[in-house]
Amino acid sequence: MLNNVKLTEGVYFVGAVDWNLRDFHGYHTPRGVTYNSYLIVDEKICLVDTVKAPFAEEMLERISQIVDPAKIDYVITNHAEPDHAGALPKLMEKAVNAKVVLTASGKDGVMKQQQRSYDFMVVKEGDTINLGRNNLHFVPLPMLHWPDSMACYLDGEQILFSNDAFGQHVCTTKRFDDENDLNEVMYEAGKYYANILMPYSRLIGKALDKTGQLPVTMIAPSHGVIWRSHIAEIMQKYEQWGRGDAGDTVIIVYDSMWGATEQMARRILDGVAASGVKGKLHRLGAASLSDIITDVLEAGGLMVGSSTQHNGVLATTGGFLTYLKGLRPTNKLGAAFSTYGWSGGAQNTIEEFLKSSGLTVEQSGLSVKWAGSKEELDKCFEFGLEFGKKVKMRKK
Ligand code: FEO
């Protein structure tokens, strides 16, 4: 017997909790991952999303405790990524009468990834299925997180099944926001946004316009806890992140070959602190890229430092800069610092990456040969102080 959680009359959580996953396609998940699948039992039976393939049997057992899977009429595939559609092949062996409901792009993704076809029903913006007491409305949310992504809305119960949007990678035996530590859930929601959705921030406003006008008593994402008591807070956070609102924190990220770049970083941090803004230091390797990017999400400035190696940056710094470029944070100031032995190159490489990642680089970078003298370390302090003041000014 497995525990099926009831969201409301006729709506159940039938997903899986992956307590031990620590790497979700490169995103560090110290609190594990959940794959939320929801069963709607109305005059018609409908499953919203499945789970990752290894958890198919667990999902089927949860469903079977409520209804024979052969009675499922519709399987909504809000998103073709394998964490939600991976169990579709196993499910469809049992749900032999079900239509698979998805966007045109979702159909393309499922057919190509799974190399099989189902009884598809392609839906678009504004389409609705009548389930009996409730109608299910389809709300495509392209690029949140893939082109095929959509949400669906159960009108009678006023539940928004939002798929990746509003998700968090957190494992718990309690399925609702108000049964968990809200600070922990909000941190994980921010981390999820920063690492998965940040490149598509310009689309968030439009998505909120579409979903915000619906009367919603629950937001049921496909990862993490279900929002029922803190809907306004998470909506407000998405508005803020979508706009790219910057705070006045400065994040300093660096790596150091023999300690000289680290010495610069620490002295720059002192300067930042002296400006009155909050600073935070991350040596690459000590924190995961996904945690560092979570700090960048609400920061006002990002300073990146590296020793020079082969006329460029250290491989760790290069990895961070590549990750940053993909995520394209908005509305941040950037600056570079480096050490070198002869011809240099790290500062330029960092500045180019920061600019192509969308950061505003208006302060010339700072480079030191071999290791900083007292005067050069004083310059590092001044460099941090000036940067901190600029971040503070922008916040006003
Ligand atoms: Fe949770 Fe984009 O899949």
Side-chain angles (χ1 to χ4, degrees), residues 24-25 79 81 83-84 145-146 149 163-164 169 192 196 223:
F24 183 89
H25 61 46
H79 183 21
E81 194 163 9
D83 51 334
H84 308 296
H145 152 229
W146 280 2
S149 296
N163 195 259
D164 277 344
H169 282 327
Y192 191 90
I196 303 280
H223 296 293

Side-chain angles (χ1 to χ4, degrees), residues 21 63 87 132 141 190 202 225 249 267 298-299 320 332:
L21 191 83
I63 294 169
L141 300 176
R202 69 187 190 289
V225 303
T249 301
R267 204 56 70 96
E298 294 192 4
F320 170 71
K332 316 280 177 212

Side-chain angles (χ1 to χ4, degrees), residues 138-251:
F138 298 99
V139 187
L141 300 176
M143 298 318 295
L144 303 180
H145 152 229
W146 280 2
D148 65 305
S149 296
M150 70 171 177
C152 50
Y153 174 68
L154 192 66
D155 60 5
E157 300 297 336
Q158 302 186 337
I159 302 174
L160 180 69
F161 298 98
S162 59
N163 195 259
D164 277 344
F166 308 110
Q168 338 89 46
H169 282 327
V170 57
C171 289
T172 164
T173 55
K174 299 290 186 183
R175 302 263 61 85
F176 295 97
D177 54 356
D178 49 43
E179 299 175 309
N180 288 279
D181 177 341
L182 187 63
N183 287 334
E184 193 174 279
V185 171
M186 276 294 182
Y187 175 81
E188 291 297 337
K191 183 171 177 178
Y192 191 90
Y193 185 94
N195 286 275
I196 303 280
L197 300 178
M198 190 154 66
Y200 315 112
S201 286
R202 69 187 190 289
L203 304 172
I204 294 291
K206 203 172 168 191
L208 292 176
D209 285 348
K210 282 199 222 177
T211 53
Q213 46 184 264
L214 303 167
V216 169
T217 54
M218 279 185 211
I219 298 177
S222 293
H223 296 293
V225 303
I226 297 157
W227 303 94
R228 69 176 176 191
S229 296
H230 301 283
I231 291 171
E233 288 100 312
I234 189 62
M235 285 277 195
Q236 198 178 14
K237 275 290 182 191
Y238 264 62
E239 279 174 27
Q240 177 194 328
W241 296 329
R243 282 193 306 264
D245 286 1
D248 61 0
T249 301
V250 171
I251 309 299

Side-chain angles (χ1 to χ4, degrees), residues 80-94:
E81 194 163 9
D83 51 334
H84 308 296
L88 204 48
K90 274 261 184 286
L91 171 76
M92 295 307 285
E93 286 172 15
K94 306 276 185 197

